[in-house]
Amino acid sequence: MIVDAFDRQTDRQTDRLFSWGGAAVAAFFICNLVTAYFYYNPAISIENKTLSTDYKRKASSYWTQAREGYANIEFDCGGFNNNKVPDTIDILCMGSSHTEAVQLEQKANYVSRLYDHLNVTTYNIGCSGHTFLHCYNNFSNAVNEFKPQRFAVFETKDIPDNLADFQKVEEGTFIRTTGKKWFDGNPILSELRKIAILRLLRVQGLTVLDNNKVRAEQKQKQGIDDAVYFQVYSKCLKNMTQVLDDQKQTKLIIFYHPHLKILTDGSVVAQADERLLNIFKKACASNKVIFLDMTERFIKEYNEKHILPYGFLNTAVGAGHLNENGHRMIAEELGKIIFAGSEVKEK
């Protein structure tokens, strides 16, 4: 009898463990399904062998995300965020995650707005993590591959201050983010990489680590003379305009979009290094590069309509990436330059 009671208890425990295990497996697959289709399922990055960008997304892949804004995007056959691929490109747009713009639907980003609202063809090769220096490093390859007929548009939210990195670009030693992963070639890890819930957990872990990172080294910009910055910036801009010489009529536009800080009295100020910004503006003017500073437009929009260019309903106010309003303002200001004072209007 004791043995029978022990067996029955063991059977009940085994059944309980199996039911818990089954519930855990079912919960995992349900969470993965919800994550993949509704919350966070980014496109896989692959190496870009043309080097027009450090990497690109897998061709015709999808990106669904609701962590910041909401978007359900299909990348084009080239692995970039475009819903149209023109035969001839009038305007090539390069930049960071603000240009790649996976936080909102394709039609809402500034590149698509220019294409849809103006009689020009645009192409977006923005990639997350591509700072000014990454784009500078890739500029020649991008222009030679896509051959923009009218403008090359360069997006940046910061004025670069690391002069050593400019030298690395010019020497060919600047480090690229190739899109290759340390686990590439391992079939098990490569398959795990496709599971949406695991990718979400990974990116959340990386965010926590990044937010808790202590930067021990502080940048020492004050000790560098203005003339040195001007010389480095001018050399960079001259190199880029020389690349465009082969395209004859193609001009370079660099637009700058600073974050805004909301003060305790409700007003806003741009979070910018005014010293470097002014030096960079002078370098652009000296090299016949069109420089668009979005600061005034951003502040005007806030003062008159209480609209911020950054942030979404599911993020902190005014934080993170450009929102739909930010992209609209940029498209309108770029439109004025492209058509010499005309506004961006519907066709």
Side-chain angles (χ1 to χ4, degrees), residues 215-220:
R215 291 173 172 83
E217 297 182 1
Q218 299 296 323
K219 296 176 181 177
Q220 300 296 325

Side-chain angles (χ1 to χ4, degrees), residues 1 14 36 112 116 135 140 232 241-242 343:
M1 294 179 62
T14 302
S112 293
D116 294 338
C135 293
S140 178
V232 172
T241 54
Q242 286 178 340
E343 299 282 349

Side-chain angles (χ1 to χ4, degrees), residues 44-275:
I44 292 175
S45 303
I46 61 174
E47 184 180 10
N48 186 354
K49 295 181 180 180
T50 69
L51 302 182
S52 57
T53 56
D54 286 11
Y55 65 90
K56 59 183 180 178
R57 309 300 180 181
K58 191 175 180 181
S60 303
S61 59
Y62 287 88
W63 184 306
T64 300
Q65 74 90 22
R67 297 177 66 245
E68 182 184 11
Y70 179 79
N72 186 20
I73 293 168
E74 181 181 6
F75 286 83
D76 65 23
C77 58
F80 298 107
N81 186 14
N82 298 278
N83 55 8
K84 300 174 184 176
V85 181
D87 294 328
T88 301
I89 297 169
D90 292 323
I91 303 172
L92 178 66
C93 299
M94 304 180 65
S96 66
S97 52
H98 293 279
T99 292
E100 187 176 31
V102 296
Q103 297 77 31
L104 61 169
E105 298 296 343
Q106 285 176 325
K107 65 180 181 180
N109 69 55
Y110 78 86
V111 184
S112 293
R113 284 175 180 271
L114 290 173
Y115 200 139
D116 294 338
H117 298 180
L118 300 174
N119 191 26
V120 292
T121 57
T122 60
Y123 195 69
N124 182 358
I125 61 168
C127 288
S128 298
H130 278 43
T131 65
F132 180 96
L133 286 157
H134 285 85
C135 293
Y136 174 32
N137 192 43
N138 297 325
F139 188 71
S140 178
N141 293 324
V143 169
N144 290 333
E145 179 179 354
F146 296 104
K147 296 178 171 55
Q149 300 299 299
R150 296 185 61 185
F151 294 96
V153 174
F154 217 80
E155 169 259 317
T156 183
K157 68 179 181 66
D158 298 303
I159 303 301
D161 58 7
N162 192 330
L163 301 187
D165 281 343
F166 280 93
Q167 185 175 355
K168 289 177 183 177
V169 170
E170 288 146 14
E171 292 175 347
T173 59
F174 188 79
I175 297 176
R176 295 177 179 273
T177 306
T178 62
K180 285 186 175 181
K181 307 295 183 183
W182 60 271
F183 49 74
D184 284 350
N186 185 309
I188 297 175
L189 294 177
S190 294
E191 287 302 313
L192 289 175
R193 182 188 180 193
K194 299 177 183 178
I195 299 175
I197 188 66
L198 297 182
R199 298 168 75 186
L200 174 62
L201 293 173
R202 173 183 173 274
V203 76
Q204 288 180 332
L206 291 175
T207 300
V208 170
L209 291 174
D210 185 62
N211 289 339
N212 289 309
K213 188 185 297 181
V214 178
R215 291 173 172 83
E217 297 182 1
Q218 299 296 323
K219 296 176 181 177
Q220 300 296 325
K221 295 176 287 188
Q222 293 78 8
I224 300 177
D225 189 74
D226 289 6
V228 176
Y229 276 110
F230 181 82
Q231 182 181 9
V232 172
Y233 291 158
S234 290
K235 183 178 180 181
C236 161
L237 297 169
K238 183 179 179 181
N239 289 341
M240 288 195 286
T241 54
Q242 286 178 340
V243 170
L244 294 175
D245 285 346
D246 294 337
Q247 299 301 115
K248 297 179 182 178
Q249 300 300 318
T250 306
K251 297 179 181 178
L252 176 61
I253 300 175
I254 297 176
F255 78 85
Y256 165 72
H257 58 101
H259 265 88
L260 300 182
K261 181 180 180 180
I262 304 176
L263 303 179
T264 54
D265 63 0
S267 62
V268 293
V269 294
Q271 294 181 300
D273 187 321
E274 293 293 338
R275 174 185 170 228

